[in-house]
Amino acid sequence: MIVYYYPAEDSGTGHGSAAKKYWFQEAVLKAKEICGKQVLGCAVPPFYYRRKPWKPEILSEAMDGVLCRVEGMADTYVHPQVEAMLTEKYNGRFVPRRATMQMLTGQIIEEYAGDMVRQCGEVTVLLGVPGDTDWQMEMTRELLLPYLSRINKLIIYYEEIVETDIWMELGNHLDEYYYEYGLVPQLEPYIMNHTRPEPVFESDRQEAGMVQAEGEYGLRCGKTKCGGMVLDYCAQFRHPRILPGNNVVYIDAASVAVKEYMIRRKVPQVSYVSPLKYLDTMVKTSYDG
């Protein structure tokens, strides 16, 4: 079971959807099943009491209260706008487990990209920080397992570490691709970005729920162009080059909303999806239903 905390929709009446003032000491959030799946949607209203925002500790306790009412070991996903109401101390309590992230990403791949990957046989993987390489490579292999017999081109971008042989570091992860499927992944290091980051206006930041700046760490993908499916684990946008006119699906496992804005500005036809966008779609569908 996944509990998804998302901002309540504005009712158009100002404070109509706001948390009541007596919640200043004690708040209770409600959750409901959405789309008949193993997901509970929990709308978090804005807090209006003498123009004060939610106290992070009170909101955290209210969110914890929802988990306590769910049977079994429920996991969580938090919308960036709700995340912004919590301090780092409390937000860390609601980070989804890797197994949950993998399960949800696997559902997304099958629903949005599975048929295309089987047809075109191309996958590009954008790895995050080096400290996460092992679990990201392991997750990638398990996510691609249903499609490996049809994949003929696998590109893996990685962050270089001085005096580190990437083939030695990733040897255990790459063996199965070669011995079981005759597939030799193409390893590409990120390159240093010496150009000025593309500006993002405040209105776009708000629309995308942006919490970080583009071009952070100065790394970006090289000149190799991507087709098929792009599986991205990065916390920052790495500016992959995408084949024009191709039917490309961009899977943002890290759920950084600004990536959709950036990728669509360059290649409007790309289909972008992430765990958080997937959950948002489920919430909207439940309202429409």
Side-chain angles (χ1 to χ4, degrees):
M1 179 68 73
I2 297 174
V3 178
Y4 176 46
Y5 301 97
Y6 62 94
E9 291 187 340
D10 188 353
S11 64
T13 59
H15 297 353
S17 63
K20 303 300 183 181
K21 65 180 182 180
Y22 57 78
W23 284 15
F24 189 71
Q25 296 299 331
E26 181 178 355
V28 178
L29 298 176
K30 297 180 179 180
K32 68 174 184 176
E33 186 175 306
I34 55 179
C35 297
K37 299 179 183 291
Q38 291 296 303
V39 177
L40 290 177
C42 180
V44 178
F47 190 89
Y48 294 114
Y49 177 65
R50 297 180 181 175
R51 298 183 179 180
K52 294 180 180 179
W54 275 97
K55 286 187 176 181
E57 62 272 19
I58 292 178
L59 177 56
S60 177
E61 290 175 5
M63 293 167 67
D64 273 333
V66 175
L67 286 176
C68 292
R69 298 194 297 270
V70 178
E71 295 182 4
M73 291 291 292
D75 205 357
T76 60
Y77 265 90
V78 182
H79 189 281
Q81 290 181 30
V82 176
E83 186 177 85
M85 301 179 194
L86 296 166
T87 61
E88 185 175 350
K89 172 184 176 181
Y90 294 99
N91 184 46
R93 296 164 64 172
F94 301 100
V95 175
R97 295 186 290 270
R98 291 172 186 171
T100 304
M101 176 182 172
Q102 179 175 325
M103 177 273 293
L104 202 52
T105 305
Q107 290 182 5
I108 291 170
I109 290 175
E110 180 56 35
E111 185 172 339
Y112 290 89
D115 290 342
M116 185 200 60
V117 171
R118 294 184 182 98
Q119 291 173 11
C120 75
E122 293 187 33
V123 175
T124 299
V125 179
L126 311 183
L127 296 178
V129 296
D132 293 336
T133 295
D134 277 342
W135 72 262
Q136 290 176 0
M137 285 294 293
E138 183 177 344
M139 182 182 296
T140 298
R141 189 172 67 251
E142 294 182 12
L143 290 172
L144 297 184
L145 195 57
Y147 317 99
L148 281 176
S149 61
R150 304 293 294 274
I151 294 175
N152 51 53
K153 184 178 181 181
L154 175 58
I155 303 173
I156 300 175
Y157 279 95
Y158 66 95
E159 186 174 337
E160 282 189 300
I161 302 177
V162 178
E163 298 182 354
T164 299
D165 186 334
I166 192 63
W167 284 98
M168 292 291 292
E169 290 292 316
L170 301 184
N172 292 335
H173 297 290
L174 301 178
D175 284 346
E176 183 176 344
Y177 293 123
Y178 179 72
Y179 290 113
E180 296 293 330
Y181 301 94
L183 177 63
V184 180
Q186 179 180 340
L187 300 182
E188 296 274 356
Y190 293 115
I191 62 175
M192 184 60 64
N193 180 16
H194 294 293
T195 60
R196 194 169 189 173
E198 187 174 351
V200 176
F201 299 103
E202 184 61 30
S203 59
D204 298 322
R205 289 173 179 265
Q206 294 173 354
E207 180 179 350
M210 181 177 174
V211 295
Q212 50 89 63
E214 301 76 46
E216 191 174 354
Y217 303 129
L219 297 178
R220 66 186 304 150
C221 294
K223 296 183 179 181
T224 302
K225 292 186 176 181
C226 310
M229 181 180 76
V230 178
L231 178 59
D232 183 1
Y233 293 102
C234 299
Q236 298 81 31
F237 186 56
R238 298 303 191 198
H239 301 272
R241 294 174 179 265
I242 294 177
L243 292 170
N246 241 37
N247 185 20
V248 176
V249 178
Y250 194 103
I251 309 291
D252 179 18
S255 294
V256 181
V258 73
K259 292 178 186 176
E260 180 176 16
Y261 168 79
M262 297 296 291
I263 202 71
R264 289 195 187 283
R265 287 193 64 184
K266 297 177 181 296
V267 191
Q269 67 269 28
V270 168
S271 177
Y272 170 95
V273 66
S274 70
L276 281 177
K277 185 171 183 179
Y278 184 63
L279 292 170
D280 275 338
T281 301
M282 293 174 65
V283 169
K284 183 179 184 302
T285 302
S286 70
Y287 283 143
D288 294 343

